[in-house]
Amino acid sequence: MGFFTKTATLAAASCLAATLMLTTAHAADKKINIGWTAWSDAEAVTKLAKKVLEDRMGYKVEMTMADIGIQYQGIATGKLDAMLMSWQPLTHKPYLDKVRQDVVDLGPMYTRAKLGWVVPSYIPESELKSIEDLKKPEVKQKLGSKIQGIDPGAGLMQASEKALKDYGLTDYQLISASDAAMLSGVERAERRKDWIVATAWSPHWMFAKSELRYLDDPKGSLGGLESVNKLVRKGFYQEQPEAYEFLGRMVLPLADVEAIMFEAQNSSYEKAVDNYIAKNPDRIEYWVTGQMKTAG
C-alpha cells in the first residue's frame, strides 16, 4: 500500500470517527428536563409530551417533580428546560410576575380551564349555592368551618386564601393536603353524605367520577376562565429548535385532557397516553412535523 493510499485510508477513518462522535454527541444533546407537579392534568400532558418526544423525535426526557414555585424559578435560571402547567392570567400570576422577563411563553397547552370551590350535588342549592352562603351559621356548622385544600404551594391555595378574606370567612380553616388527600376527603364525604367544600379545578377526572358543582363566586376571587400555557427557558429554541417547535404546536382540547385523565384512573397514565396517540395520529403528526393532513 502506497503512502497516498495509506493517507487517504487514515483520513477516511478519521472522518468516519469524527462523524460518529458528532452523531453521538448530537444524540446525547437531545435531552430535555421538564418540570411537573403531581396534579392529574399536569401528569397527563407532561407524559404525553414525553412519549411523543422520545418515540417520534429521539429525545431523552427527564420529568422533574417540584413545587410549582420552584418550577418557575427553574425555568428562569435554566435548571429546567420547560414546564407545561402555567395557569394564566390569575392563578400563577405571583410566580410569573417574578420571572416573566426570564422565560419564554409558547402559548396555551389548553384553554377554558377553571378554578373554584366545589360541593357534592346532594348538598341542596337552596342552602349552599354561593361562597357567600358559607357565612350562614348552619352551613358553617355542617362544614366544621373547614375548606379542603390541596398542596400549599399551589396558586389555587393562594387564590383560596384571598377568597376567605374577600368574603369575610377568616374563621374558616383552609386545610393543606395533596391532590390525592383532597380526593380521598371528597370520596369519604360522599360515602357518608357529609357536607364538604373542596378546592378544585377543571380539567380534572373527579368530575367524571363524582357529581360535583362549583360554588358561585360573585366577587371573582378565584378568577374566571384560565389558559394553561407552556414555558421554556431562554435559549431553548437555539439549542433544541425541534422540541421548541413541537411544544409550540402541542395544543389539546380540554375534553381530550379530561379523557386521558379519566382513562388513567382505570389503567395508568402511560396506557392512556398510548391510546390517545393511537387514536389521534393526524394531530400527533402535526405536532411533530408541522404538516397538516389535507382533505381529499
Side-chain angles (χ1 to χ4, degrees), residues 15-80:
C15 183
L16 176 60
T19 301
L20 289 173
M21 288 177 65
L22 286 171
T23 302
T24 302
H26 179 68
D29 288 340
K30 296 190 73 171
K31 293 181 179 179
I32 301 175
N33 191 338
I34 301 179
W36 71 299
T37 298
W39 301 340
S40 303
D41 51 330
E43 186 165 5
V45 297
T46 305
K47 288 187 173 178
L48 175 57
K50 171 182 168 70
K51 183 69 173 177
V52 178
L53 282 164
E54 290 188 337
D55 289 2
R56 289 291 307 273
M57 304 179 72
Y59 283 88
K60 176 63 178 176
V61 179
E62 179 181 356
M63 292 174 55
T64 298
M65 186 182 292
D67 179 85
I68 191 67
I70 294 174
Q71 289 184 57
Y72 277 93
Q73 287 299 319
I75 300 296
T77 60
K79 293 181 179 179
L80 292 174

Side-chain angles (χ1 to χ4, degrees), residues 18 37 77 132 145 155 193 210 228 278 294:
T37 298
T77 60
E132 292 277 11
S145 299
K193 297 300 180 184
S210 303
V228 179
T294 56

Side-chain angles (χ1 to χ4, degrees), residues 36 40 43-45 47-48 51 205 257-277:
W36 71 299
S40 303
E43 186 165 5
V45 297
K47 288 187 173 178
L48 175 57
K51 183 69 173 177
W205 60 266
V257 181
E258 291 183 323
I260 295 171
M261 293 159 60
F262 184 63
E263 182 180 343
Q265 303 314 304
N266 299 316
S267 56
S268 68
Y269 281 94
E270 288 73 17
K271 290 181 179 179
V273 161
D274 286 343
N275 287 339
Y276 185 81
I277 291 171

Side-chain angles (χ1 to χ4, degrees), residues 72-73 75-76 94-103 231:
Y72 277 93
Q73 287 299 319
I75 300 296
Y95 302 116
L96 190 56
D97 283 349
K98 293 178 182 179
V99 302
R100 196 179 299 273
Q101 302 303 315
D102 301 313
V103 302
L231 302 183

Side-chain angles (χ1 to χ4, degrees), residues 10 20 43 45 83 114 141 153 185 219 237 258:
L10 289 171
L20 289 173
E43 186 165 5
V45 297
M83 62 177 288
K114 177 180 173 65
Q141 182 178 2
K219 295 182 184 295
Y237 172 59
E258 291 183 323

Side-chain angles (χ1 to χ4, degrees), residues 120 122 184-196:
Y122 56 75
S184 294
V186 172
E187 291 173 0
R188 184 167 55 252
E190 286 181 316
R191 288 195 302 270
R192 301 171 179 174
K193 297 300 180 184
D194 289 340
W195 282 37
I196 187 172

